[in-house]
Amino acid sequence: MNLDLDTVCDFINGGAWSDDEYSESGIRVIKVTNLENGGVADGSFDFLPLAKYEKYKRHELRGDDLVVATVGSHPTQPGSVVGRTARISSRYAGSFLNQNAVCLRVKRHDLVDQRFLYYLSRTILFRHHIESRARGSANQVRMAIGDLRRFSARYPSVTDQKRIAAVLGAYDDLIEANRRRIALLEKMAEELYREWFVRLR
């Protein structure tokens, strides 16, 4: 039996804040520009003051939440943002989600595993659903939340979903570890170049 996302997930919209509400520190804000490689990219973030927590706590993210960008360039364009998905790691749990994105949080754990949902969102099936429904121009398109709610898929048993997510997660961990190693080696190579050819040591 196929199940649509509206049946198995709660949808939490991103919040909208004016520029004068931001502060130098406090509650980290996750924007669509922070989403990269299936997660949240390290870099610069905006913050809301801690005093705003009660007012905006409905936009708070939890670990393993699935975030989907609902606005951006057309999916066929290089570097497209609309439909980009990210899994929130424990490092970014407690952050607030900004506008132009929606958080999907499984409410039927007897039917769907949260981590499996993330890997489902990375499939061609999910991408095609968004590409065929995004409306606008090449520069700016929007995907209606109602269309996302109607995305339907056939799910294996929750036990099998967890096994699949565990295997794919192990590969993701290896890829991330290698990415960090490569970044470290590049930094070492740059420093060695400076020593040899700039500082002439």
Side-chain angles (χ1 to χ4, degrees):
M1 179 179 68
N2 280 20
L3 299 169
D4 57 32
L5 289 177
D6 197 38
T7 301
V8 299
C9 292
D10 285 325
F11 284 68
I12 299 98
N13 290 323
W17 305 288
S18 59
D19 288 342
D20 59 5
E21 289 188 86
Y22 288 115
S23 59
E24 293 295 321
S25 62
I27 304 164
R28 183 188 288 112
V29 173
I30 303 296
K31 300 181 176 182
V32 293
T33 52
N34 300 124
L35 307 182
E36 186 178 291
N37 296 323
V40 178
D42 294 330
S44 60
F45 295 95
D46 289 324
F47 296 88
L48 287 171
L50 293 174
K52 299 282 187 180
Y53 177 81
E54 287 298 324
K55 183 177 181 180
Y56 296 125
K57 64 181 180 180
R58 65 186 178 279
H59 305 295
E60 185 176 7
L61 295 168
R62 302 175 187 170
D64 278 339
D65 276 348
L66 171 64
V67 172
V68 182
T70 57
V71 174
S73 55
H74 193 275
T76 59
Q77 299 298 313
S80 168
V81 174
V82 69
R84 183 177 295 174
T85 61
R87 184 176 67 87
I88 300 301
S89 67
S90 57
R91 178 179 180 182
Y92 295 106
S95 303
F96 283 3
L97 181 64
N98 198 13
Q99 62 186 345
N100 299 330
V102 63
C103 167
L104 277 63
R105 187 176 295 155
V106 170
K107 61 183 177 183
R108 291 293 307 272
H109 297 280
D110 57 323
L111 297 174
V112 178
D113 175 69
Q114 181 73 42
R115 293 198 72 180
F116 178 84
L117 180 66
Y118 162 70
Y119 288 109
L120 178 63
S121 77
R122 308 282 288 177
T123 62
I124 292 176
L125 180 68
F126 189 86
R127 295 292 303 171
H128 176 71
H129 182 85
I130 292 171
E131 287 176 7
S132 62
R133 290 164 178 80
R135 297 289 179 266
S137 64
N139 296 327
Q140 183 83 6
V141 295
R142 177 178 294 275
M143 176 186 57
I145 301 297
D147 287 335
L148 183 59
R149 288 178 181 273
R150 287 189 286 274
F151 173 76
S152 180
R154 184 182 294 274
Y155 297 88
S157 70
V158 173
T159 300
D160 286 343
Q161 290 178 45
K162 289 181 177 179
R163 287 174 180 161
I164 293 167
V167 171
L168 294 175
Y171 279 107
D172 276 351
D173 291 343
L174 286 172
I175 291 168
E176 181 57 30
N178 284 332
R179 186 178 290 121
R180 287 196 295 267
R181 288 192 189 102
I182 290 168
L184 180 60
L185 289 171
E186 287 176 343
K187 186 175 181 180
M188 291 171 64
E190 288 173 3
E191 185 60 27
L192 190 59
Y193 176 87
R194 291 191 189 97
E195 284 290 306
W196 285 355
F197 300 106
V198 179
R199 303 184 186 105
L200 301 177
R201 293 176 184 174

